[in-house]
Amino acid sequence: SRSAMDHQPKFFENLSGAGKAIAVLTSGGDAQGMNAAVRAVVRMGIYVNAKVYFIYEGYQGMVDGGDNIVEVSWESVSSILQVGGTVIGSARCKPFRTREGRLQAAFNLVQRGITNLCVIGGDGSLTGANLFREEWSGLLEELAQKGKIDAEAVKKYAYLNIVGMVGSIDNDFCGTDMTIGTDSALHRIIEVVDAIMTTAQSHQRTFVLEVMGRHCGYLALVSALACGADWVFIPEYPPEEGWEDTMCVKLSENRARKKRLNIIIVAEGAIDCHNKPITSEKVKDLVVQRLGFDTRVTILGHVQRGGTPSAFDRILASRMGVEAVLALLEATPDTPACVVSLSGNQAVRLPLMECVQMTQEVQKAMDEGRFLEAVRLRGRSFENNLNTYKLLSHKKPDAELPKTNFNVAVLNVGAPAAGMNAAVRAAVRVGMTEGHKIFAVIDGFEGFARGKIKEISWGDVGGWTGQGGSILGTKRTLPAKYLEKIADQMRTNNINALMVIGGFEAYLGLLELSAAREKYDEFCVPMVMVPATVSNNVPGSDFSIGADTALNTITDTCDRIKQSASGTKRRVFIIETMGGYCGYLANMGALAAGADAAYIFEEQFDIRELQANVEHLTEKMKTSIQRGLVLRNENCNENYTTDFIYQLYSEEGKGVFDCRKNVLGHMQQGGAPSPFDRNFGTKISAKAMQWISKKLKETYRKGKVFANTDDSVCLLGMRRRNLVFQPVAELKSETDFVHRIPKEQWWLKLRPLMKILAKYKTSYDVSDSGQLEHVAMLPKEAETGAI
């Protein structure tokens, strides 16, 4: 179906919303990022000339009508991007569950000519919306019979279109990899766990943490993965009979290995295999009675729903909001109500009822004790998380491990990036489980040449997931000038495979090593690279480890700066971000912080554009929003420096606004890794190590490993929806080596989004949107990039 459409690109600005009215409401439990979604719907709606309405207090406001349903303007959604929860309120609504209530709601909407609804909420809210849509024509006829509306209105407003966005911290909705709010909830949990670990460390305590998720263990599972918890209880995967003994043995073994603390994570809906609840108190009592460990319970509760949305949630919600407006503009009476969601890194539309049915199937499977089925129905992302957790958390006794006699070396190359240590930990533990000996190289290729290499064990990498920077040490040095010495070290230590975790230098390094294969047999071994750099400039991958953490740092800083600007009024800030020549951080940071402009190398700009931006800000100062935010990538233009732009703005803005500048610098490389980076680093690295094992088996001949084909030197990257191994030789043609960036970058497609949300007229190609897909039960092999 795509090929026919590929000929005519579809542009957002050609779609008209004139004469249409869109209403947006938030319903069910609140979630961080809902406001970003509301903001995107409002601004996109206004951009295409539709009327946009808020419905306050969810369905209750729709039933009550009156000033609960208000037309809004562009400025109505200013400054809400960084606010958690929902500014338009959400309420549990009994009346909407009755036909009487829905009749009243229909009357309120028709009076204002609203026939397009955007519902942001959980599965209950979305199911309600669907029922409302099915009853719509019946409701209008009944209103006409009662004389409340005329026959003309029944004809004019005959159809109701509905698009849903899933806002729920539980991530319990089938068909979507990430719901709005999940990432932020993980941020809250991880902040707490990191804080608790320091006090547990001091007192040799055991902590039992209870996290939200009545019917879904996603938060518990991913936070357990992200902090390396000793044990996790989730509803979808109850522990086997006799788990009490197994768990206590595991805890005391860990203590015996000099580990001073234990973390146990319990989802509030955790159950055993007889469907009986497992509570955090029960777990605590068990540990105290059996082991006598000093044990404390912490229940995180509503903290998880609060706080400011993470960069990921802001970008996700903004993308979904735009997609929702598109879906409403394109909806016909025959298209089913749909949900917009993200699959991997791809925006998709799915039939709402298919998702709801599948979500209900999971609950049914759990109630009936079909737990393996429940895990499968949750989707591939959930299943992956569970398998990775099982792989990394429990060390098998040495007797049970296979022995391969292969030695694998792991090293960090390039600048430090948060999440590198999580990747090293996963590589070491998976490698040991596969039966290899793992060697850690200190200080990159330079350290390798100097023989800074030692065997590393399971316990050595305990607690590494939450550590920022690079514990192994990393250098930017390339291997070319040390080939002889590195080959010697490979021979001396009998290294049969290499795993390199790093940025652009790591990629260049692998290219150099594979070129040196003709001369040195030592390099004829499987080599794999896992991308880790804050700049996200590695070809072959949409994301790299560390970029999400840096993005959150930028977003947090911009929030603070915006706050200081709104205090002084009429002030514009110019902020310089890192990234080399890659504009990812500047562009996505601008989207997440609600900036007015972002200057990047990939999109050339001239003095006319700078002039237009100044005029744009001058206009903005006449409204109620009297502040501006401009991001600039450090290398976007050699002459239009941050100072130049600052001076230009200061001169041109005289008497209208004043300027300040801020260079963010190295804070972007530091900090504890975000949940996304911990999880992405862990999963992608585990997968890379499994690939190494496979390649070692394939290339082992006559007592030695010999690999000299292109497909034995690969980069593992996330591409759209999948994790893929790509030979570095094939990536050469996709690379701009002068500027150290990929020739094509997916996020440039999102560039117009930022401009539209900042009120610029621009062209936006949306040809990718609009294919309604179906919720598939995925085949076993399908491997997702979803985190």
Side-chain angles (χ1 to χ4, degrees), residues 221-291:
L221 179 56
V222 174
S223 48
L225 248 183
C227 70
D230 295 281
W231 201 271
V232 64
F233 293 98
I234 57 173
E236 292 87 347
Y237 187 76
E240 291 159 17
E241 285 283 12
W243 59 269
E244 295 89 343
D245 302 331
T246 327
M247 182 182 82
C248 290
V249 168
K250 167 82 175 30
L251 295 179
S252 46
E253 271 177 10
N254 276 354
R255 284 293 171 95
R257 279 202 223 103
K258 303 263 191 304
K259 190 174 176 190
R260 293 176 58 92
L261 76 163
N262 307 106
I263 301 275
I264 300 167
I265 292 181
V266 185
E268 61 180 327
I271 46 175
D272 64 18
C273 49
H274 307 296
N275 255 331
K276 297 263 183 307
I278 296 179
T279 62
S280 39
E281 279 301 328
K282 184 174 164 184
V283 175
K284 174 196 157 171
D285 294 341
L286 184 76
V287 176
V288 173
Q289 279 156 16
R290 297 254 183 124
L291 301 171

Side-chain angles (χ1 to χ4, degrees), residues 170-190:
D170 292 344
N171 201 17
D172 58 357
F173 197 76
C174 292
T176 119
D177 277 346
M178 280 299 252
T179 58
I180 295 167
T182 306
D183 187 64
S184 302
L186 286 170
H187 271 262
R188 295 298 94 77
I189 296 170
I190 294 304

Side-chain angles (χ1 to χ4, degrees), residues 306-433:
T308 176
S310 64
F312 182 94
D313 272 332
R314 297 181 195 196
I315 292 165
L316 171 68
S318 301
R319 285 175 73 180
M320 296 305 97
V322 174
E323 192 65 28
V325 172
L326 268 176
L328 284 172
L329 294 179
E330 293 178 335
T332 67
D334 309 321
T335 50
C338 76
V339 175
V340 293
S341 88
L342 206 60
S343 168
N345 190 23
Q346 179 83 18
V348 291
R349 296 181 198 173
L350 301 162
L352 189 145
M353 283 325 284
E354 276 183 30
C355 298
V356 169
Q357 271 147 9
M358 185 118 135
T359 307
Q360 287 164 353
E361 282 294 312
V362 181
Q363 192 53 48
K364 211 169 123 200
M366 278 158 42
D367 293 342
E368 293 168 11
R370 292 179 287 120
F371 295 108
L372 284 171
E373 182 68 3
V375 169
R376 222 166 63 83
L377 286 167
R378 276 272 178 244
R380 48 188 190 169
S381 164
F382 190 88
E383 211 170 352
N384 266 352
N385 281 317
L386 187 57
N387 293 335
T388 311
Y389 177 77
K390 287 195 280 198
L391 209 58
L392 296 172
S393 60
H394 305 295
K395 181 181 193 287
K396 286 193 182 130
D398 292 342
E400 285 177 36
L401 291 174
K403 277 279 171 283
T404 60
N405 294 323
F406 289 132
N407 295 341
V408 182
V410 179
L411 66 161
N412 291 164
V413 175
M420 275 182 164
N421 302 321
V424 173
R425 168 184 178 265
V428 170
R429 292 194 169 179
V430 173
M432 288 183 69
T433 309

Side-chain angles (χ1 to χ4, degrees), residues 397-641:
D398 292 342
E400 285 177 36
L401 291 174
K403 277 279 171 283
T404 60
N405 294 323
F406 289 132
N407 295 341
V408 182
V410 179
L411 66 161
N412 291 164
V413 175
M420 275 182 164
N421 302 321
V424 173
R425 168 184 178 265
V428 170
R429 292 194 169 179
V430 173
M432 288 183 69
T433 309
E434 308 256 323
H436 314 315
K437 271 189 173 171
I438 309 294
F439 287 80
V441 177
I442 313 296
D443 295 341
F445 288 119
E446 196 175 309
F448 207 165
R450 296 202 183 131
K452 291 180 162 181
I453 176 168
K454 58 170 200 269
E455 195 182 335
I456 185 167
S457 70
W458 185 280
D460 294 338
V461 290
W464 278 29
T465 27
Q467 305 286 325
S470 160
I471 297 173
L472 289 184
T474 178
K475 285 264 192 288
R476 288 176 180 271
T477 326
L478 292 172
K481 57 179 181 183
Y482 297 115
L483 290 172
E484 185 83 41
K485 288 180 175 167
I486 293 175
D488 282 346
Q489 290 297 330
M490 301 263 299
R491 199 171 45 252
T492 315
N493 295 286
N494 189 19
I495 300 296
N496 310 110
L498 269 190
M499 175 153 160
V500 185
I501 300 163
F504 204 83
E505 288 87 358
Y507 165 64
L508 293 176
L510 281 194
L511 285 171
E512 292 181 358
L513 290 180
S514 64
R517 277 176 163 181
E518 315 170 11
K519 203 170 159 193
Y520 301 96
D521 276 3
E522 288 83 355
F523 299 137
C524 296
V525 296
M527 305 189 218
V528 68
M529 166 181 171
V530 169
T533 162
V534 297
S535 306
N536 197 20
N537 63 333
V538 178
S541 191
D542 287 0
F543 293 119
S544 59
I545 299 167
D548 183 69
T549 305
L551 207 49
N552 277 296
T553 304
I554 292 169
T555 312
D556 290 348
T557 312
C558 287
D559 287 352
R560 293 186 175 192
I561 288 172
K562 263 168 85 169
Q563 210 164 21
S564 85
S566 62
T568 39
K569 290 277 186 291
R570 304 228 298 244
R571 178 164 283 177
V572 174
F573 272 90
I574 292 144
I575 296 172
E576 182 187 302
T577 68
M578 278 187 169
Y581 284 95
C582 175
Y584 180 80
L585 290 177
N587 189 68
M588 300 308 258
L591 191 55
D596 295 284
Y599 298 118
I600 59 173
F601 169 76
E602 291 87 346
E603 193 175 286
Q604 292 297 300
F605 57 97
D606 57 19
I607 194 72
R608 283 182 293 280
E609 183 148 350
L610 290 170
Q611 181 64 33
N613 290 150
V614 172
E615 283 163 12
H616 190 88
L617 283 165
T618 309
E619 282 308 299
K620 186 176 172 183
M621 295 299 162
K622 293 177 185 165
T623 69
S624 54
I625 317 168
Q626 305 196 338
R627 54 177 166 64
L629 194 61
V630 175
L631 271 64
R632 177 189 174 273
N633 158 275
E634 56 185 355
N635 289 346
C636 64
N637 187 303
E638 58 177 328
N639 294 314
Y640 297 146
T641 59

Side-chain angles (χ1 to χ4, degrees), residues 168-228:
S168 145
I169 65 165
D170 292 344
N171 201 17
D172 58 357
F173 197 76
C174 292
T176 119
D177 277 346
M178 280 299 252
T179 58
I180 295 167
T182 306
D183 187 64
S184 302
L186 286 170
H187 271 262
R188 295 298 94 77
I189 296 170
I190 294 304
E191 283 157 20
V192 171
V193 176
D194 285 355
I196 277 177
M197 279 170 109
T198 56
T199 162
Q201 191 82 21
S202 313
H203 296 281
Q204 301 199 32
R205 280 200 175 129
T206 295
F207 270 87
V208 180
L209 288 167
E210 183 180 306
V211 300
M212 280 187 169
R214 251 178 321 207
H215 308 295
C216 176
Y218 184 90
L219 289 178
L221 179 56
V222 174
S223 48
L225 248 183
C227 70

Side-chain angles (χ1 to χ4, degrees), residues 563-773:
Q563 210 164 21
S564 85
S566 62
T568 39
K569 290 277 186 291
R570 304 228 298 244
R571 178 164 283 177
V572 174
F573 272 90
I574 292 144
I575 296 172
E576 182 187 302
T577 68
M578 278 187 169
Y581 284 95
C582 175
Y584 180 80
L585 290 177
N587 189 68
M588 300 308 258
L591 191 55
D596 295 284
Y599 298 118
I600 59 173
F601 169 76
E602 291 87 346
E603 193 175 286
Q604 292 297 300
F605 57 97
D606 57 19
I607 194 72
R608 283 182 293 280
E609 183 148 350
L610 290 170
Q611 181 64 33
N613 290 150
V614 172
E615 283 163 12
H616 190 88
L617 283 165
T618 309
E619 282 308 299
K620 186 176 172 183
M621 295 299 162
K622 293 177 185 165
T623 69
S624 54
I625 317 168
Q626 305 196 338
R627 54 177 166 64
L629 194 61
V630 175
L631 271 64
R632 177 189 174 273
N633 158 275
E634 56 185 355
N635 289 346
C636 64
N637 187 303
E638 58 177 328
N639 294 314
Y640 297 146
T641 59
T642 303
D643 282 332
F644 175 91
I645 292 177
Y646 163 69
Q647 287 168 340
L648 178 85
Y649 273 59
S650 298
E651 180 59 36
E652 296 295 314
K654 258 188 194 156
V656 184
F657 56 81
D658 65 359
C659 272
R660 293 287 182 275
K661 64 169 191 272
N662 209 322
V663 177
L664 297 185
H666 279 77
M667 62 189 286
Q668 294 164 87
Q669 275 179 14
S674 66
F676 182 94
D677 280 332
R678 294 179 191 201
N679 204 346
F680 183 53
T682 300
K683 277 211 265 209
I684 195 170
S685 167
K687 198 172 164 64
M689 187 53 84
Q690 286 164 333
W691 176 88
I692 284 183
S693 298
K694 191 176 105 222
K695 283 288 175 215
L696 282 170
K697 283 192 196 92
E698 287 170 15
T699 57
Y700 187 67
R701 296 278 174 280
K702 299 187 187 136
K704 113 182 227 315
V705 172
F706 188 79
N708 66 348
T709 51
D710 280 351
D711 67 356
S712 61
V713 187
C714 280
L715 180 147
L716 172 55
M718 179 170 150
R719 281 273 170 105
R720 282 188 117 151
R721 300 192 189 187
N722 301 304
L723 287 173
V724 273
F725 288 95
Q726 304 142 96
V728 287
E730 287 173 19
L731 291 172
K732 271 175 151 164
S733 59
E734 299 180 23
T735 311
D736 169 352
F737 285 100
V738 179
H739 300 102
R740 301 159 53 100
I741 51 175
K743 287 179 184 167
E744 283 191 11
Q745 305 186 78
W746 67 273
W747 53 266
L748 283 166
K749 277 212 165 85
L750 297 185
R751 186 134 168 94
L753 197 74
M754 185 213 96
K755 293 184 179 173
I756 292 174
L757 291 171
K759 214 173 184 172
Y760 284 94
K761 288 277 175 258
T762 181
S763 181
Y764 184 26
D765 182 346
V766 288
S767 314
D768 272 0
S769 299
Q771 256 51 51
L772 190 69
E773 300 185 11

